[in-house]
Amino acid sequence: MAALIRKPLLGLALGGGGARGFAHIGVLKILEAEGFQPQVMAGTSMGGIISALYASGMAIQDIEAEAARMGNLNTMVKLLDNDLPNLNHVVGHESVQEYFSKLLRGKRDFANLNLPLALAAVDVLSARDVALQEGDLIDAMSATMALPGVVEPLKREGMCLVDGGSLNNVPADLARNMGAEVVIAVDVSPDVTDEGFWKTQRMPGIALANWRTNAIMVANFTAAKLRKAQTDLIIRPKISPSITTLSGFKHVKSLADCGAKATLEALPELRRLLKPRVYFFPPKIKKAAPAVL
């Protein structure tokens, strides 16, 4: 069998984290500037939305401009469910479908994307994580961002799908299982051991305790998934404690800068990982399946 000298197939996994996920914009800017184009992508929640827009061919500058527009109160209000007050959610499918339909300009199916993509969600009926990578793209985007109590869950093929963050917040396993030979993961979650961060979060004591407890659970699941996927590089942007999951919608540029800075710091390792090397087979892209812990 003839040897091939080529760059490894690069997979990029973008994690969830609400508005903190806008740091992914800066990561993608630097990767583009350095000529490191991901060949497969996976994402969860906000990371899933940015992955889907990027895989559709939307320019990263346009994604950043749209993210900044989302900080406008009038834009946010348009996403609210027409049936409010609703005790189950505040953002419904109809508004999500309309919003993403305009952004994607007709690319409503995974088959129409420029890059292979997998989005992580959780089926609450079977209590398992799910990889969405075919069929209706907007349905999958609404599922991966369906934070319980905020966005309406997606009912599909006997499943009730919600935000993938609880079981697979940084889906490096999906990128690896799609055939990536080098996997880069971007984790924008707050550090659960950072006392300084948690002391700055202003909310009632019970709510803060519940959030931190959930964050600890997610962090442990994430660490286990990243290990199992043999993730080659984890980029963790340093984000100010004052920029929270919700307030960050007003700080898109600052968040993008955080992602860019972290990626610049990782460039020596990126260059080492993505050097051409000898292979005895061409790269092969496959369907993903979540790794079972």
Side-chain angles (χ1 to χ4, degrees):
M1 189 179 293
L4 303 170
I5 298 177
R6 61 174 176 82
K7 290 182 178 180
L9 190 149
L10 172 59
L12 182 63
L14 303 183
R20 293 169 62 95
F22 292 141
H24 297 313
I25 293 169
V27 174
L28 286 163
K29 279 185 174 181
I30 300 302
L31 291 179
E32 270 195 5
E34 293 293 321
F36 299 139
Q37 177 66 46
Q39 290 146 290
V40 299
M41 295 188 75
T44 300
S45 199
M46 183 61 81
I49 301 308
I50 291 175
S51 294
L53 295 177
Y54 192 76
S56 77
M58 191 171 178
I60 192 61
Q61 292 80 7
D62 293 337
I63 295 174
E64 183 173 21
E66 183 58 31
R69 197 175 74 85
M70 283 300 297
N72 184 296
L73 183 60
N74 291 333
T75 305
M76 299 288 282
V77 166
K78 289 177 183 176
L79 292 177
L80 298 180
D81 197 309
N82 294 329
D83 296 331
L84 287 176
N86 188 314
L87 297 179
N88 297 318
H89 60 266
V90 295
V91 176
H93 278 314
E94 187 176 334
S95 55
V96 170
Q97 292 268 341
E98 182 179 351
Y99 174 69
F100 286 128
S101 291
K102 291 178 181 176
L103 284 184
L104 292 167
R105 299 176 184 176
K107 289 193 176 182
R108 290 191 56 111
D109 196 285
F110 278 86
N112 301 133
L113 295 175
N114 295 3
L115 293 171
L117 171 71
L119 300 181
V122 169
D123 174 22
V124 296
L125 301 181
S126 65
R128 64 187 179 91
D129 49 338
V130 175
L132 303 172
Q133 54 193 320
E134 58 187 6
D136 193 301
L137 176 63
I138 296 178
D139 273 357
M141 291 169 73
S142 65
T144 195
M145 64 176 273
L147 187 66
V150 179
V151 180
E152 184 179 3
L154 174 70
K155 294 181 180 178
R156 171 173 163 177
E157 299 174 5
M159 298 182 289
C160 181
L161 298 173
V162 299
D163 188 308
S166 59
L167 293 181
N168 203 0
N169 197 45
V170 188
D173 59 327
L174 300 188
R176 178 70 74 190
N177 292 340
M178 291 168 78
E181 293 159 331
V182 167
V183 176
I184 298 169
V186 186
D187 186 359
V188 297
S189 301
D191 182 352
V192 293
T193 65
D194 183 355
E195 288 298 324
F197 172 85
W198 295 102
K199 286 177 181 177
T200 63
Q201 304 310 297
R202 296 176 181 175
M203 59 178 68
I206 294 177
L208 182 60
N210 286 341
W211 178 26
R212 188 170 184 181
T213 301
N214 183 70
I216 291 170
M217 176 190 71
V218 169
N220 278 275
F221 269 115
T222 298
K225 288 272 194 180
L226 291 172
R227 284 195 301 272
K228 194 171 184 70
Q230 296 181 317
T231 309
D232 297 283
L233 176 64
I234 306 169
I235 297 175
R236 290 189 171 96
K238 295 177 183 176
I239 298 171
S240 168
S242 64
I243 300 179
T244 66
T245 299
L246 297 176
S247 72
F249 283 94
K250 297 180 180 179
H251 301 281
V252 173
K253 186 180 184 306
S254 295
L255 287 161
D257 288 346
C258 290
K261 184 175 185 294
T263 310
L264 285 169
E265 291 170 354
L267 276 182
E269 182 64 6
L270 275 167
R271 290 175 180 141
R272 185 189 70 80
L273 288 168
L274 296 172
K275 276 184 178 179
R277 60 187 76 172
V278 175
Y279 288 93
F280 291 95
F281 48 85
K284 185 178 181 180
I285 296 174
K286 304 170 286 187
K287 290 293 182 184
V292 178
L293 295 178

